[in-house]
Amino acid sequence: LAGIYKTVIATDTSATQLDHAPRLPNVHYRRTPPVIPHADLPLHIAGESTVDLVTVGQALHWFDLPAFYKQAHWVLKKPHGVIAAWCYCEPEIDPAVDSVLDSFYAADSAPYWDPLRKLVEDGYRGVDFPFEAVGGAGEGDTGPFRFTAEHAMDLEGFFMYVRSWSAYQTAKERGVELLGDAVVEKFRRAWCNDENGDGGGEEKVKVVRFPVYLRIGKVGMVKL
């Protein structure tokens, strides 16, 4: 976004996330709660109907949607200001690793996911999205539109991804280590094609494919 727009205002509730964000001259970072009063909007350098695009990455399911949509409607230019929200689901790697991951996700991690996770699993289909279709996006549709994001990962990179799950953090707070020795060994065998468990097989960098689901619309002229 920084390469396309003159000014980007980026917010997150996590100070740690913001600490890891790249420092760019036209990006202004703000730590905020998911929904804040109009008077405290981080868009202090903007005003009503002055923003071209509002984006939300992997977070819309946490928001108080009526309040957030009211804020987005207030700052977006009328009628063509765009709001885009996307989420990504569990990745696809290869049949061996996918089998272990599917079982791990459905059984081991399931008790620690917030119920709102279901909205992500459904690709945001069940999220209220009261905006007009953007021309060319589809037959009067606001999505979800499916894409694929690919990343090259080694096994440790994959474990880092799992440790970023909110379910992993919740389990850890409750004294449960989801990536215990037995689970790590199952993933290692699948990742390294070590069916015999004798330590053979080579750890490889694999292409990890994340399905991404996008909801996108324009603000139009209807007031929320």
Side-chain angles (χ1 to χ4, degrees), residues 155-166:
L155 184 57
E156 184 53 39
F158 173 76
F159 286 145
M160 288 180 63
Y161 155 69
V162 173
R163 293 186 186 105
S164 75
W165 292 359
S166 61

Side-chain angles (χ1 to χ4, degrees), residues 36-44 71 74:
I36 50 182
H38 283 301
D40 297 325
L41 278 170
L43 305 173
H44 66 286
Q71 291 181 359
W74 186 79

Side-chain angles (χ1 to χ4, degrees), residues 29-53:
Y29 294 103
R30 301 287 182 270
R31 184 185 180 191
T32 64
V35 175
I36 50 182
H38 283 301
D40 297 325
L41 278 170
L43 305 173
H44 66 286
I45 58 175
E48 184 176 4
S49 300
T50 59
V51 172
D52 296 292
L53 172 68

Side-chain angles (χ1 to χ4, degrees), residues 99-177:
S99 177
V100 177
L101 178 59
D102 290 346
S103 176
F104 175 72
Y105 183 83
D108 298 51
S109 74
Y112 306 103
W113 287 109
D114 189 282
L116 292 171
R117 176 70 182 180
K118 296 295 183 183
L119 294 172
V120 175
E121 293 174 351
D122 196 36
Y124 280 172
R125 288 177 182 83
V127 171
D128 180 42
F129 197 72
F131 299 94
E132 299 178 8
V134 175
E139 293 294 332
D141 198 0
T142 60
F145 301 101
R146 191 183 191 278
F147 301 87
T148 300
E150 295 186 350
H151 296 272
M153 288 185 182
D154 60 13
L155 184 57
E156 184 53 39
F158 173 76
F159 286 145
M160 288 180 63
Y161 155 69
V162 173
R163 293 186 186 105
S164 75
W165 292 359
S166 61
Y168 179 88
Q169 300 300 328
T170 298
K172 199 170 185 66
E173 291 169 2
R174 297 179 186 176
V176 176
E177 174 54 67

